Amino acid sequence: MNFEFDSEQNDLREAVRGLLDRAYGDAEQRRQVTKNDPGFDEKTWGQLAEMGVLGLPFPEEDGGMGAGPIEVAIVAEQIGRVLAPEPFVEAVVLAGGLVAAVGTAEQRAELLGPLSEGSSVLAFAHAEPGTRWSASAAGVTATQDGDSWTLTGVKEPVLNGARADVLVVSAVTDGGTALFVVDGEASGLSRTGYRTHDGGRAANVTFASTPARLLGEGTADRSADVERAFALARIAYANEAVGAMETALRTTSEYLTQRKQFGVTLNKFQALTFRAADMYVSLELARSTALWASMVADAGGDVVSAADRARLQTSRASRHIGKEAIQLHGGIGVTAEYKIGHYTSRLTAIDHVLGDGDFALDRLAATVGEHPTVDPLGAPYTG
Amino acid sequence: MRLQLSPELEAFREEMRTFFTTQVPQEIRDTVAARRHVSKDQYVEAQRALNAAGLAVPHWPVEWGGKDWTPLQRHIWREEMQLASVPEPLAFNTSMIGPVLAQFGNQEQKERYLAKTANLDIWWCQGFSEPDAGSDLASLRTTAVRDGDDWIVNGQKTWTTLGQHADWIFCLCRTDPTAEKKQRGISLLLFPMDTPGVTLRPIELLDGSFEVNEVFFEDVRVPAENLVGEENQGWTIAKFLLGNERVGIARVGTTKSYLALAKELARETTVGGRTLLDDPRMAGRIAEVENELLALELTALRVVANSADGRPHPASSVLKLRGSELQQAATELLVDIAGPLSLASYADGGSDVPDWARVTVPEYLNYRKVSIYGGSNEVQRTIIAGTILGL
C-alpha cells in the first residue's frame, strides 16, 4: 500500500499544472474564456491533446496513452485547482470512457483517435428531464429499420451538448438501454445550448427520427456499462472537487491573513480560524477518499461502491467548504469579480451532475447490512 | 500509488489477527466487546500475554523490547488489536513514560523501569493536569523544591486516569518558579504512589464509573535520582510525550467494531414490521458514519505511510479531531438503537433488558471525554489553524 505518486506521475502533474497555470493562473483569464461559447478555450484543449491528456485513459491501439485512473485523478485535480473549464471529465473520462468500454474496435479507433488528438469533442447525452442519475434511458427511444437506427426524444441537460462534434446517446430499445453514436451534423438533431451557473455549457438536445449508429454490438442492456462509466467519472470528479476545495481553502486562509477589520487581520478571530480548521479536516478526509477510490479503480476492485463512497465524502466536503469559503470572505465572496464564489459554483455543479451525497448515501445504506465492517485494503475493493 | 498490501504485510496482518484472536484470553476480549468494565487484573493479564510475545511495546527501541517496524506495521498491529477487542497495552506505560525514559532517561533509569513498564509490573499514572492547568498545561503549580538529595513535592493533580491502580506516578512539577517563561521552569519526577504524603481521591464520573482521580501531594519526599532528563527540561519531555499520546488516538478499529455491533443490534430490533437496520434513516446514519470512518482510516493510512522520516504528517491532527467525533457518533448510534431500553442503565437481576442496552448511555456519557482528553478538539483546531493553515 502506497499513497505516493511515482516520478512519471509527478511529471504529469507538474506538466498539467504548468499548462493550466499559464491558462488560468489569473481568475480573470477564466472569466474571459467562459464568457464566450463554447465555454472553454479551444487552444488550451489542443495543448492538453498535445500533452497526451485527452487520450490518457485509452489503450494505445485505440489512439490513447494507455494510462489509468491514477493519471486521470492527477489531471482532474489540476483541472479543479484552477477551475479549468475544459471538459476533461465530461468528454474524455465519461463519453470517451463509454466508447472505450462498449465500442467495437473500429468505433474505438474512429472516435477515440480524434478525441485524443483534440480534433473531436465527445459528449454523453443521457440526462433527461423528469428523472435523475439513473443508469438507464427512458425518454429517448431507438427504432431499428434493417441495419439502421433512428432516435426520437429529448436529452437535457447535456454538458457541452451544443459544441460536441459527436454525441454518445443512451436510448430505449426492446433489450433495455442501448448506446448510440450521433453525428453533430445529423438530420433531425436540434441543439439549444446555454450557460450553466458554473461557467460551463449545456444543451437541450432533441432527436426527431435522428439517424444513429449502435455503439458496440447487440442490443443487450447497457445500463451496467453506463453505471461503471459513471463510477469512473464520479471518481474523477471527486479528484477535481478536491483540487477545487484545496484552492478554495488556501484562498480563504490567505484572505483571513490579509483582510483587516477592527484594526486587526481576520485571522486574529478564533471564530473564523476554527471554521477554517474544520474546512481543512473536510478537505483531507475527502482527499483520502478520492485517492483511494482512484486506487480501487486502478486495482480493478468494486468501482461502483468505491465511487459512491468518494461521491458521498466529497459531496459533504464540497458543500461545507464551498459555503464556508464564501462566508469567511464576506460580501466579496458573492461577487462575480472575485474568484472564490466561482469555486462554490463549480463544486455545486459537480455535486449534481452524476448524483449528490444523499444519492450516494441511499445506495450505500441499502447494502450497509451486507458487511460487518469496511476494509479499504480488502475485498471487494482490491480486485 | 498502490492499494494492496504487499504479500509480506498481508502475512503480517494475518499473523497479528491470529495472535490477537487466539492468544489473548477470550473472557477478557468478551469483556471489552461487551463494553463492560475491564479490571486491573484483566489489563495486566492481557498486557503480559502481549509482552510475552513481544507485542506490547513494538514502538520502543529494539534494545528495550521494541520491534523495528514501519509506521504501517504499527498501524496494522493497533488496528487488529482493536478489531479483536483486545485491551490495548496501558497507554501511560507504553505510549507515555516508556518512550520518555527510552529517550530522556539515564541508563540506570532505563534498566530499573523499562522492562517492568513493558510487562505492567509497574502500573504508571500520569501527573499532568491540575485544577487550574488543563489545556493550558504550562500553568501548572505543583512545586518541587530541592532539599539535600531529595525533592519535596507539594500541590495537586487531577484527572489522573486509573490512578487507583497505579504503583508509580510520573509527575510534572514546577522546579523554577522564577523562570522567564513558565514552560522553562518545569521538571519531570517519578515516585511511588505509596510515598508518604500522597493522597488519592477518586472522582465519580457521570456513568457511575471511577476512572479518574485527584492526587494530593503534601511534603512528598522524592530522591533526586528520580528526576527524568535535565532539571527544568520537563516541558520538552511533556511535548514529546503528548506527541506520542496522539499516535493511534483515531481508534479506527474500535469504532469499526462498534459499528459492526450497531448493525447486529439494529437487525435484532423490530420496528413497524421491519428491522431497524431496514429503516432507511437508521441505515443511512450507520452508512454515513461508516463512510466517514473509512475516510478517517484512509487518512490514518496516508499519515503512517508518509511519516517514515519521523516527522508527523500535517494531516495527523485530523486524526484526533475526527477520530474522537466518530467514536462519539458510534456510541450515540448504540443509544438510539437501544431506544427506551437505554434507560435501564443500572438494572440488575430481574430485568429483561439485555446487557448491551444497559451500558449504552453510561458509555455515551463517558465518551464525551474523548473530544476533551489528549489535547481537546479545540486545541487540535488551534494547531491546524496555526501550524497548517498559517492563521
Side-chain angles (χ1 to χ4, degrees):
Chain A
M1 191 218 61
N2 166 6
F3 276 81
E4 303 268 275
F5 296 131
D6 65 27
S7 65
E8 275 182 46
Q9 289 166 342
N10 277 324
D11 290 347
L12 172 69
R13 188 180 58 177
E14 291 315 306
V16 175
R17 178 192 287 251
L19 193 162
L20 294 179
D21 266 350
R22 284 191 294 283
Y24 301 112
D26 178 350
E28 187 54 28
Q29 295 168 287
R30 177 180 186 272
R31 277 193 83 203
Q32 291 307 322
V33 165
T34 55
K35 259 184 194 167
N36 303 309
D37 285 343
F40 62 89
D41 182 18
E42 301 278 4
K43 200 179 93 200
T44 305
W45 189 248
Q47 290 168 335
L48 287 167
E50 281 166 31
M51 204 175 262
V53 166
L54 304 187
L56 213 50
F58 312 130
E60 288 172 36
E61 58 267 29
D62 295 337
M65 300 294 287
I70 306 296
E71 286 75 16
V72 166
I74 288 169
V75 172
E77 186 184 346
Q78 295 307 316
I79 295 263
R81 208 176 56 87
V82 294
L83 299 189
E86 282 67 34
F88 172 72
V89 177
E90 296 80 2
V92 175
V93 181
L94 183 53
L98 275 168
V99 172
V102 175
T104 62
E106 202 174 87
Q107 288 171 329
R108 294 198 306 269
E110 176 204 327
L111 296 170
L112 298 181
L115 172 64
S116 304
E117 290 160 13
S119 58
S120 169
V121 173
L122 264 58
F124 182 36
H126 178 73
E128 297 165 353
T131 67
R132 57 184 204 168
W133 307 322
S134 161
S136 307
V140 172
T141 50
T143 310
Q144 187 169 19
D145 182 13
D147 278 349
S148 61
W149 290 85
T150 57
L151 304 184
T152 297
V154 177
K155 293 287 186 182
E156 183 173 5
V158 180
L159 293 177
N160 309 295
R163 164 65 181 82
D165 300 289
V166 177
L167 296 167
V168 176
V169 188
S170 59
V172 182
T173 69
D174 291 342
T177 295
L179 296 172
F180 294 87
V181 178
V182 173
D183 193 274
E185 305 294 317
S187 63
L189 177 69
S190 50
R191 302 189 279 178
T192 309
Y194 46 80
R195 271 190 73 155
T196 53
H197 62 79
D198 61 331
R201 295 295 183 278
N204 172 299
V205 180
T206 301
F207 304 89
S209 298
T210 308
R213 285 181 294 149
L214 186 66
L215 186 67
E217 281 163 359
T219 53
D221 186 63
R222 293 288 188 190
S223 298
D225 296 298
V226 173
E227 191 66 76
R228 190 181 152 74
F230 272 0
L232 293 170
R234 284 177 184 126
I235 293 170
Y237 272 142
N239 288 283
E240 183 178 334
V242 165
M245 287 189 277
E246 184 184 328
T247 304
L249 175 57
R250 194 184 57 248
T251 305
T252 303
S253 298
E254 284 166 6
Y255 188 77
L256 292 179
T257 58
Q258 287 158 11
R259 165 82 170 163
K260 278 190 174 176
Q261 286 289 275
F262 304 103
V264 293
T265 51
L266 293 183
N267 64 326
K268 301 295 175 204
F269 297 98
Q270 198 176 53
L272 306 182
T273 59
F274 270 29
R275 290 166 74 169
D278 283 334
M279 291 162 77
Y280 177 78
V281 174
S282 283
L283 169 65
E284 288 306 316
L285 294 170
R287 183 196 303 282
S288 303
T289 317
L291 281 172
W292 168 78
S294 310
M295 290 195 283
V296 171
D298 191 47
D302 179 352
V303 77
V304 172
S305 157
D308 283 342
R309 296 191 173 286
R311 190 73 282 282
L312 174 56
Q313 200 68 31
T314 52
S315 170
R316 299 289 192 253
S318 293
R319 291 183 188 215
H320 174 210
I321 291 173
K323 288 186 283 195
E324 289 289 75
I326 291 181
Q327 179 67 23
L328 295 187
H329 273 81
I332 197 173
V334 196
T335 66
E337 287 86 3
Y338 197 74
K339 72 174 177 181
I340 196 67
H342 296 281
Y343 279 82
T344 309
S345 178
R346 177 62 187 153
L347 288 168
T348 307
I350 290 174
D351 203 19
H352 295 98
V353 180
L354 298 178
D356 64 8
D358 283 352
F359 168 83
L361 179 58
D362 276 350
R363 289 159 42 119
L364 293 169
T367 59
V368 76
E370 292 169 14
H371 50 263
T373 57
V374 175
D375 179 2
L377 307 181
Y381 297 114
T382 40
Chain B
M1 291 272 233
R2 205 169 64 94
L3 185 60
Q4 294 92 336
L5 292 172
S6 64
E8 295 75 27
L9 277 176
E10 205 55 84
F12 175 81
R13 176 151 91 157
E14 202 48 49
E15 182 195 332
M16 291 296 118
R17 189 166 292 181
T18 305
F19 178 86
F20 291 130
T21 52
T22 60
Q23 301 303 305
V24 177
Q26 184 70 41
E27 166 252 329
I28 296 179
R29 295 172 47 227
D30 287 346
T31 303
V32 173
R35 291 132 53 244
R36 288 194 300 268
H37 174 73
V38 178
S39 71
K40 178 176 184 179
D41 287 347
Q42 287 178 316
Y43 272 118
V44 172
E45 189 180 351
Q47 183 160 333
R48 287 184 184 162
L50 263 54
N51 197 41
L55 295 178
V57 291
H59 49 293
W60 286 15
V62 172
E63 71 168 309
W64 300 110
K67 302 261 192 196
D68 198 11
W69 283 351
T70 61
L72 182 54
Q73 282 176 299
R74 288 183 209 163
H75 174 88
I76 292 170
W77 164 77
R78 196 180 293 275
E79 284 298 303
E80 291 301 328
M81 187 159 53
Q82 291 175 355
L83 278 173
S85 298
V86 172
E88 288 182 63
L90 192 68
F92 311 106
N93 283 39
T94 62
S95 300
M96 298 188 193
I97 193 62
V100 161
L101 288 171
Q103 177 81 16
F104 298 95
N106 57 39
Q107 188 64 20
E108 197 188 330
Q109 288 171 332
K110 291 176 186 173
E111 284 169 12
R112 181 173 174 195
Y113 299 115
L114 282 177
K116 289 180 175 173
T117 298
N119 204 44
L120 205 40
D121 297 338
I122 302 174
W123 185 303
W124 291 92
C125 65
Q126 181 182 23
F128 274 37
S129 292
E130 298 183 1
D132 290 323
S135 289
D136 180 15
L137 183 59
S139 293
L140 62 90
R141 292 204 299 238
T142 294
T143 58
V145 177
R146 192 62 183 258
D147 179 40
D149 285 342
D150 295 330
W151 293 94
I152 310 291
V153 178
N154 278 286
Q156 182 196 342
K157 295 292 174 183
T158 193
W159 311 130
T160 310
T161 302
L162 301 180
Q164 69 267 37
H165 300 327
D167 306 301
W168 281 67
I169 187 168
F170 50 94
C171 189
L172 287 177
C173 305
R174 187 158 301 284
T175 41
D176 180 4
T178 66
E180 218 170 280
K181 281 188 70 182
K182 57 187 180 183
Q183 285 85 352
R184 292 206 189 122
I186 296 170
S187 301
L188 184 68
L189 294 177
L190 314 174
F191 49 93
M193 289 292 281
D194 61 3
T195 311
V198 177
T199 314
L200 178 131
R201 187 186 79 81
I203 301 172
E204 184 178 1
L205 292 181
L206 261 180
D207 63 348
S209 74
F210 290 91
E211 277 184 354
V212 291
N213 303 269
E214 292 179 292
V215 186
F216 301 89
F217 309 117
E218 196 182 339
D219 294 331
V220 177
R221 198 164 271 279
V222 178
E225 68 197 37
N226 289 9
L227 173 76
V228 181
E230 306 288 319
E231 189 175 329
N232 297 325
Q233 196 194 6
W235 189 249
T236 305
I237 298 174
K239 281 196 298 183
F240 171 87
L241 181 151
L242 292 172
N244 289 332
E245 188 183 5
R246 284 194 273 272
V247 171
I249 207 158
R251 298 179 63 84
V252 173
T254 303
T255 306
K256 256 190 202 181
S257 64
Y258 277 30
L259 288 183
L261 180 67
K263 292 181 196 181
E264 210 179 295
L265 298 172
R267 193 179 277 123
E268 290 167 9
T269 307
T270 306
V271 182
R274 65 185 175 198
T275 79
L276 202 46
L277 193 58
D278 291 324
D279 172 66
R281 278 184 76 84
M282 178 55 76
R285 274 182 69 190
I286 296 175
E288 181 130 32
V289 176
E290 184 168 77
N291 211 51
E292 290 188 29
L293 187 63
L294 168 74
L296 180 73
E297 179 174 11
L298 293 165
T299 305
L301 285 167
R302 269 174 65 210
V303 167
V304 297
N306 295 346
S307 60
D309 58 356
R311 281 181 304 120
H313 189 282
S316 60
S317 42
V318 170
L319 303 181
K320 162 65 175 45
L321 190 52
R322 188 51 63 98
S324 57
E325 289 172 350
L326 293 181
Q327 287 176 68
Q328 293 174 335
T331 61
E332 191 173 342
L333 269 173
L334 290 168
V335 173
D336 292 339
I337 291 167
L341 300 184
S342 70
L343 291 161
S345 317
Y346 295 115
D348 216 333
S351 164
D352 287 340
V353 175
D355 276 348
W356 70 264
R358 300 182 196 187
V359 300
T360 51
V361 175
E363 183 174 54
Y364 164 73
L365 294 173
N366 181 281
Y367 265 57
R368 307 322 298 169
K369 71 188 177 188
V370 299
S371 51
I372 297 167
Y373 68 36
S376 73
N377 286 10
E378 288 65 37
V379 168
Q380 304 303 325
R381 287 187 178 91
T382 305
I383 292 172
I384 292 171
T387 63
I388 301 176
L389 300 179
L391 297 176

